[in-house]
Amino acid sequence: QKEVEQDPGPLSVPEGAIVSLNCTYSNSAFQYFMWYRQYSRKGPELLMYTYSSGNKEDGRFTAQVDKSSKYISLFIRDSQPSDSATYLCAMSPYGNNRLAFGKGNQVVVIP
Amino acid sequence: EAGVTQFPSHSVIEKGQTVTLRCDPISGHDNLYWYRRVMGKEIKFLLHFVKESKQDESGMPNNRFLAERTGGTYSTLKVQPAELEDSGVYFCASSQIPGQTNYEQYFGPGTRLTVT
């Protein structure tokens, strides 16, 4: 069983729509949960992070972590064409720096 | 402040040849990581340096891969001899040590390695 599962299917939405992304994981030791955004030919860029369970909001972005279900989500409100990118979930245990990534979702926001 | 830089951006070599990838972390970052993404798969951890010491090299696939970080600044990752399955994008990342958490890893643009 993979440590992190992220359905890699592409997602195409009209501008202004809400984008919903999620990952599941199997390792109960994971404490840090991150979402990275990656533009074409660039490296991943940290977008959001959450420690343990709970919600975190930053502008149009909301990250949610439900440790009881081993499920994390990222919501993008009022999506813009500039949000078109690949979004990767990543996580790590406390005190361990190795990130475990999901496969990523390619998101296209159509003007 | 300059970000993480990697060189070369793309390398095409033949099976059996040697390739050396270089990573320059953000100045002052003690932690340096190597990751790899093989086509169709997720990004996978290879190893982690703290300054010049290997903290965790559990992700290195085999002894054809050698990573070094002499002097605790830039790092190199050598593949010798390269095999077809080594093709992929190699990312380097670096981070500081803010308190007890090391969550914010800054990634370079990656080196795309193609072994033919």
Side-chain angles (χ1 to χ4, degrees):
Chain A
Q1 183 182 12
K2 284 186 183 294
E3 280 191 307
V4 181
E5 296 275 4
Q6 181 178 9
D7 183 350
L11 192 62
S12 198
V13 300
E15 183 175 353
I18 295 175
V19 176
S20 173
L21 305 170
N22 60 78
C23 292
T24 59
Y25 63 95
S26 59
N27 188 345
S28 57
F30 287 147
Q31 294 285 339
Y32 293 99
F33 303 91
M34 288 140 278
W35 286 95
Y36 279 82
R37 178 175 60 193
Q38 185 178 16
Y39 292 111
S40 181
R41 302 293 178 176
K42 301 285 188 183
E45 170 193 22
L46 183 65
L47 188 62
M48 299 279 287
Y49 86 91
T50 309
Y51 172 66
S52 196
S53 281
N55 296 355
K56 187 168 185 176
E57 191 172 312
D58 184 2
R60 296 183 295 109
F61 299 89
T62 299
Q64 293 183 347
V65 175
D66 180 351
K67 289 188 68 181
S68 63
S69 301
K70 295 190 174 70
Y71 185 91
I72 71 170
S73 303
L74 176 71
F75 300 95
I76 308 174
R77 291 184 300 280
D78 187 25
S79 57
Q80 304 294 310
S82 58
D83 295 328
S84 298
T86 295
Y87 291 81
L88 304 134
C89 63
M91 42 200 85
S92 67
Y94 181 81
N96 185 317
N97 299 322
R98 57 183 296 173
L99 297 178
F101 281 89
K103 282 189 174 182
N105 287 111
Q106 185 176 8
V107 173
V108 176
V109 180
I110 302 167
Chain B
E1 178 184 85
V4 177
T5 57
Q6 292 186 246
F7 183 82
S9 58
H10 193 185
S11 179
V12 181
I13 61 172
E14 293 183 353
K15 177 182 171 180
Q17 289 186 322
T18 298
V19 63
T20 300
L21 314 181
R22 173 172 169 143
C23 168
D24 286 80
I26 293 172
S27 177
H29 281 194
D30 289 338
N31 297 284
L32 187 149
Y33 315 83
W34 284 98
Y35 292 85
R36 175 175 76 170
R37 182 166 194 160
V38 172
M39 187 179 292
K41 303 282 189 179
E42 61 274 11
I43 296 173
K44 288 241 180 204
F45 169 85
L46 295 178
L47 89 160
H48 169 211
F49 283 99
V50 177
K51 297 186 179 178
E52 66 274 8
S53 300
K54 291 176 186 174
Q55 182 79 10
D56 179 357
E57 54 183 326
S58 59
M60 294 288 264
N62 51 61
N63 59 10
R64 295 185 293 103
F65 289 75
L66 175 65
E68 295 181 321
R69 193 182 182 196
T70 307
T73 55
Y74 71 91
S75 174
T76 58
L77 180 64
K78 182 192 293 188
V79 185
Q80 179 183 30
E83 298 288 345
L84 298 179
E85 65 264 24
D86 300 332
S87 295
V89 182
Y90 290 76
F91 292 103
C92 175
S94 71
S95 71
Q96 292 177 310
I97 309 180
Q100 295 298 316
T101 60
N102 279 4
Y103 55 83
E104 191 151 7
Q105 295 184 22
Y106 296 85
F107 281 77
T111 292
R112 185 174 299 272
L113 175 63
T114 303
V115 183
T116 62

